[in-house]
């Protein structure tokens, strides 16, 4: 699962910088900065050592598809205080129209507009709502709604989209920023300070799981979206939360190469990388060598063969720069990072 950002906990709870999306997830074997275990293998490589593929510098970065579903799902989902929508069938249905209009490529574009082009979340959100045809909803509602947002740009933009759609339907909605999940989730559960927040399915599921069932509770979030949403719904009932429909858009841990590298080797998935290249240099946060969804998972699930691990950051500028400059072959990023090239 993801590391923490300011909007996440175990999967998403480290701090997030304003201009750069922070991220997480990590893995195994070998001390950070040392050779990363040489690559345990599976059927994807047949146990054979592959020729090393040199990193190829390039400005454009592309995420390789996690085709064997190593990562936990982290789709965007509206989280709502249950008491705030008692007798109101409109609010969640309006938020669901936002979910339906978002996919990961769209989310990358929204983040690029804010993080790279330096436009405001308000401007980007209003433009998105208009372009998606969400500014004239048929359903109408009323009442004051406070939409919460974590203190990073993606959350602010999503929260502003929610509020813009609700206002178009007749609600009196405004957005307030309330730090990280540890700060904003109690406010959402009580419903006094905030009634709606854009959330992340897998991260929130595990946060509530540990809150309700204890820090040592077995994980219930997985790569299965339906099963994870079912678990989240049950946990939400315990703390007074209900949820809208998850969006196809995801902000999850992902692994990127340069577009030039992908083109040179004709690869689009992690399985194809494992079948084609050995001697890879992996870049990511120090914990990557110890976490099952980072280096160990890449080795065990895909049979990827690593010659070296370089300790950098969690989806931040160090990792992206190292990829672009050809210092690492594969790097841990966030799937919705605005600097990524959208996938087809």
């Amino acid at each position: 699962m993801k590391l923490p950002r300011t909007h996440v906990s175990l999967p998403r709870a480290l701090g997030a910088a304003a201009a750069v999306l922070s991220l997480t997830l990590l893995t195994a074997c070998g001390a950070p900065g040392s050779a990363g275990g040489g690559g345990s293998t599976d059927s994807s490589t047949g146990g054979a050592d592959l020729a090393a593929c040199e990193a190829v510098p390039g400005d454009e970065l592309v995420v390789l598809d996690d085709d064997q579903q190593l990562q936990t799902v982290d789709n965007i989902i509206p989280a709502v205080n249950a008491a705030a929508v008692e007798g109101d069938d409109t609010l969640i249905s309006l938020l669901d129209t936002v979910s339906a209009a978002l996919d990961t490529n769209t989310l990358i574009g929204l983040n690029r507009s804010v993080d790279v082009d330096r436009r405001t979340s308000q401007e980007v959100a209003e433009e998105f709502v208009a372009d998606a045809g969400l500014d004239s909803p048929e359903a109408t509602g009323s009442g004051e709604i406070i939409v919460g947002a974590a203190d990073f740009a993606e959350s602010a933009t999503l929260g502003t989209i929610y509020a813009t759609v609700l206002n178009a339907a007749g609600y009196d909605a405004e957005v307030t920023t309330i730090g990280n999940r540890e700060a904003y989730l109690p406010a959402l559960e009580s419903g006094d300070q905030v009634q709606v927040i854009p959330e992340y399915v897998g991260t929130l599921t595990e946060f509530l799981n540990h809150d309700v069932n204890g820090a040592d509770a077995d994980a219930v979030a997985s790569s299965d979206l339906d099963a994870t949403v079912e678990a989240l719904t049950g946990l939400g009932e315990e703390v007074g939360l209900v949820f809208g429909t998850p969006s196809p858009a995801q902000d999850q841990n992902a692994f990127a190469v340069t577009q030039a590298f992908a083109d040179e080797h004709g690869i689009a998935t992690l399985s194809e990388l494992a079948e084609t290249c050995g001697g890879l240099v992996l870049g990511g946060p120090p914990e990557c060598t110890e976490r099952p969804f980072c280096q160990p998972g890449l080795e065990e699930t895909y049979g990827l063969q690593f010659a070296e691990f370089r300790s950098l950051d969690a989806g931040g500028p160090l990792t992206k720069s190292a990829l672009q400059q050809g210092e690492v072959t594969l790097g841990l990023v966030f799937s919705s990072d605005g600097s990524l090239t959208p996938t087809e």
Side-chain angles (χ1 to χ4, degrees), residues 182-193:
E182 286 80 1
Y184 71 66
L185 197 58
L188 180 64
E189 291 172 355
S190 71
D192 295 333
Q193 295 174 275

Side-chain angles (χ1 to χ4, degrees), residues 90 94 136-140 169:
T90 302
L94 288 166
S136 300
E138 294 182 5
T140 59

Side-chain angles (χ1 to χ4, degrees), residues 268-299:
T269 71
L270 288 169
S271 289
E272 290 172 346
L273 176 63
E275 294 165 358
T276 305
C277 294
L280 300 169
V281 179
L282 175 64
E287 301 89 338
C288 186
T289 59
E290 302 169 354
R291 298 295 175 87
F293 297 98
C294 205
Q295 184 178 332
L298 291 171
E299 292 172 338

Side-chain angles (χ1 to χ4, degrees), residues 1 27 44 46 56 122 129 208 219 223 225 259 267 275 279 305 329:
M1 303 178 72
T27 116
S44 66
V56 180
Q122 183 72 41
V129 170
L208 291 177
S223 61
L225 178 59
Q259 184 69 64
I267 59 172
E275 294 165 358
Q305 300 175 8
T329 323

Side-chain angles (χ1 to χ4, degrees), residues 47-339:
D49 288 332
L50 298 170
C53 293
E54 297 295 330
V56 180
D59 291 336
E60 294 186 25
L61 305 180
V62 62
V63 165
L64 296 181
D65 182 43
D66 178 21
D67 55 306
Q68 295 189 43
Q69 299 182 319
L70 172 64
Q71 305 301 325
T72 297
V73 293
D74 243 345
N75 301 65
I76 310 298
I77 191 170
V80 183
N81 177 270
V85 291
E86 287 182 1
D88 182 352
D89 297 328
T90 302
L91 190 145
I92 289 181
S93 67
L94 288 166
L95 299 177
D96 285 348
T97 66
V98 176
S99 291
L102 285 171
D103 59 22
T104 302
N105 283 344
T106 301
L107 189 57
I108 289 172
L110 293 173
N111 288 331
R112 180 183 299 112
S113 294
V114 176
D115 294 332
V116 179
D117 300 336
R118 301 303 182 191
R119 300 173 66 194
T120 67
S121 288
Q122 183 72 41
E123 180 184 10
V124 172
E126 290 177 352
E127 181 177 87
F128 168 80
V129 170
D131 289 347
L134 302 179
D135 53 348
S136 300
E138 294 182 5
T140 59
S142 61
E144 295 184 358
I145 296 292
I146 300 175
V147 180
D151 57 357
F152 60 99
E154 180 176 284
S155 185
T157 301
L158 291 169
T160 305
I161 290 171
Y162 284 0
T164 303
V165 171
L166 292 176
N167 282 326
Y171 290 91
D172 180 11
E174 63 178 271
V175 181
T176 184
T177 300
I178 318 182
N180 61 16
R181 182 171 285 101
E182 286 80 1
Y184 71 66
L185 197 58
L188 180 64
E189 291 172 355
S190 71
D192 295 333
Q193 295 174 275
V194 63
Q195 292 83 49
V196 176
I197 283 180
E199 262 292 0
Y200 300 83
V201 169
T203 294
L204 182 59
T205 297
E206 285 312 308
F207 191 97
L208 291 177
N209 183 31
H210 295 152
D211 188 38
V212 171
N213 298 316
D216 297 328
D218 291 338
V220 292
S222 69
S223 61
D224 185 323
L225 178 59
D226 291 340
T228 304
V229 170
E230 182 178 357
L232 176 61
T233 301
L235 290 164
E237 291 174 355
E238 299 278 342
V239 295
L241 299 181
V242 293
F243 305 97
T245 301
S247 169
Q250 290 205 70
D251 179 359
Q252 64 179 163
N253 293 320
F255 292 91
V257 296
T258 63
Q259 184 69 64
F261 180 91
D263 291 342
E264 179 172 314
H265 295 285
I267 59 172
T269 71
L270 288 169
S271 289
E272 290 172 346
L273 176 63
E275 294 165 358
T276 305
C277 294
L280 300 169
V281 179
L282 175 64
E287 301 89 338
C288 186
T289 59
E290 302 169 354
R291 298 295 175 87
F293 297 98
C294 205
Q295 184 178 332
L298 291 171
E299 292 172 338
E300 294 165 13
T301 300
Y302 288 99
L304 282 163
Q305 300 175 8
F306 295 108
E308 183 181 353
F309 172 75
R310 295 194 182 178
S311 180
L312 299 167
D313 56 13
L318 295 179
T319 298
K320 289 181 283 188
S321 177
L323 282 165
Q324 291 167 331
Q325 295 176 22
E327 296 172 358
V328 300
T329 323
L330 186 69
L332 180 66
V333 299
F334 286 121
S335 64
S336 64
D337 192 308
S339 67

